[in-house]
Amino acid sequence: GNSVTQMEGPVTLSEEAFLTINCTYTATGYPSLFWYVQYPGEGLQLLLKATKADDKGSNKGFEATYRKETTSFHLEKGSVQVSDSAVYFCALSYWGTGNQFYFGTGTSLTVIP
Amino acid sequence: DAGVTQSPTHLIKTRGQQVTLRCSPKSGHDTVSWYQQALGQGPQFIFQYYEEEERQRGNFPDRFSGHQFPNYSSELNVNALLLGDSALYLCASSETDRGRSKETQYFGPGTRLLVL
């Protein structure tokens, strides 16, 4: 089946620290991979995506590379800011399932000044 | 462009009642998906509507039903509410390409339902 496993949180970092949130997936085909971010009291916003192996998605200083050999899509940012405090969800979408999304359980990030 | 909108933002119901949640998709989008997000969890897929028909369904009981209107807006209905139905309900919309939903979905802010 299809599933996503995320690094458990919560994660607390100081401003300007390096961030990594691990994500691995299981899929029956060749999914597209996504990172969504959810700020307190809000819905999900698309952060970045990658549609095939070795693709790198990037946005707002965040990056993630689609690694088929390790079935991973780890999220990284070189220098986090207080405004990055949110919950981050890794997800996969598989064309064969009509693009139904499968989400991880989310990783809460708090950045302190 | 308004993006995906949902109403109401918050709702309180009691066990056994019925509830209807509403969603308007992003302009130009014709596919609507609904998700349930329990506290501290990732969203779980409920179902997807396209051309006014339920195209796909997740692992949710028949108490969860939906509808899509000709203008692509959608409703989620939940009957015989249980305490465990308390969650954030998210609507997501997407475009189609040759009858298949495009991969990127855009989410609304959600409706927070509390069942007492």
Side-chain angles (χ1 to χ4, degrees):
Chain A
N2 301 305
S3 66
V4 174
T5 302
Q6 270 184 253
M7 174 177 122
E8 291 200 10
V11 174
T12 302
L13 295 174
S14 298
E15 207 165 20
E16 299 183 4
F18 184 84
L19 168 71
T20 299
I21 301 178
N22 290 338
C23 170
T24 56
Y25 68 90
T26 302
T28 53
Y30 300 100
S32 295
L33 301 174
F34 302 78
W35 278 100
Y36 279 84
V37 58
Q38 187 173 37
Y39 297 100
E42 298 184 13
L44 277 69
Q45 298 178 24
L46 177 64
L47 181 60
L48 55 84
K49 68 177 184 182
T51 59
K52 60 184 187 299
D54 300 325
D55 266 4
K56 177 185 280 188
S58 61
N59 185 28
K60 299 181 182 179
F62 291 89
E63 292 183 341
T65 301
Y66 189 141
R67 300 284 188 205
K68 184 164 173 269
E69 63 277 12
T70 54
T71 62
S72 65
F73 192 56
H74 305 322
L75 182 68
E76 296 182 337
K77 186 175 186 184
S79 175
V80 293
Q81 305 300 313
V82 172
S83 58
D84 293 327
S85 298
V87 181
Y88 292 81
F89 291 93
C90 184
L92 71 83
S93 172
Y94 174 40
W95 184 265
T97 64
N99 286 322
Q100 168 187 334
F101 272 61
Y102 297 84
F103 285 89
T105 54
T107 301
S108 174
L109 169 67
T110 300
V111 180
I112 54 177
Chain B
D1 183 7
V4 180
T5 59
Q6 292 185 244
S7 64
T9 55
H10 295 82
L11 207 49
I12 300 175
K13 293 285 187 178
T14 56
R15 279 179 298 175
Q17 284 190 309
Q18 179 263 345
V19 68
T20 297
L21 311 182
R22 296 176 177 83
C23 170
S24 291
K26 188 174 165 64
S27 178
H29 288 190
D30 54 9
T31 299
V32 173
S33 301
W34 286 92
Y35 293 81
Q36 180 194 66
Q37 186 181 13
L39 197 62
Q41 299 297 315
Q44 299 289 315
F45 175 74
I46 303 175
F47 43 54
Q48 183 181 83
Y49 275 84
Y50 171 67
E51 291 189 337
E52 302 180 49
E53 290 190 358
E54 182 183 292
R55 184 159 66 172
Q56 266 202 296
R57 189 177 185 92
N59 190 25
F60 278 81
D62 292 344
R63 298 187 297 109
F64 289 77
S65 63
H67 188 75
Q68 186 179 33
F69 298 94
N71 67 353
Y72 308 122
S73 67
S74 177
E75 289 182 348
L76 164 65
N77 301 292
V78 187
N79 294 323
L81 284 167
L82 304 174
L83 296 180
D85 295 331
S86 295
L88 180 68
Y89 288 85
L90 295 165
C91 170
S93 73
S94 56
E95 298 174 87
T96 51
D97 178 16
R98 289 166 287 173
R100 285 190 170 177
S101 174
K102 283 189 174 179
E103 60 191 10
T104 302
Q105 295 188 5
Y106 296 84
F107 285 80
T111 294
R112 191 164 295 282
L113 172 64
L114 177 62
V115 182
L116 301 176

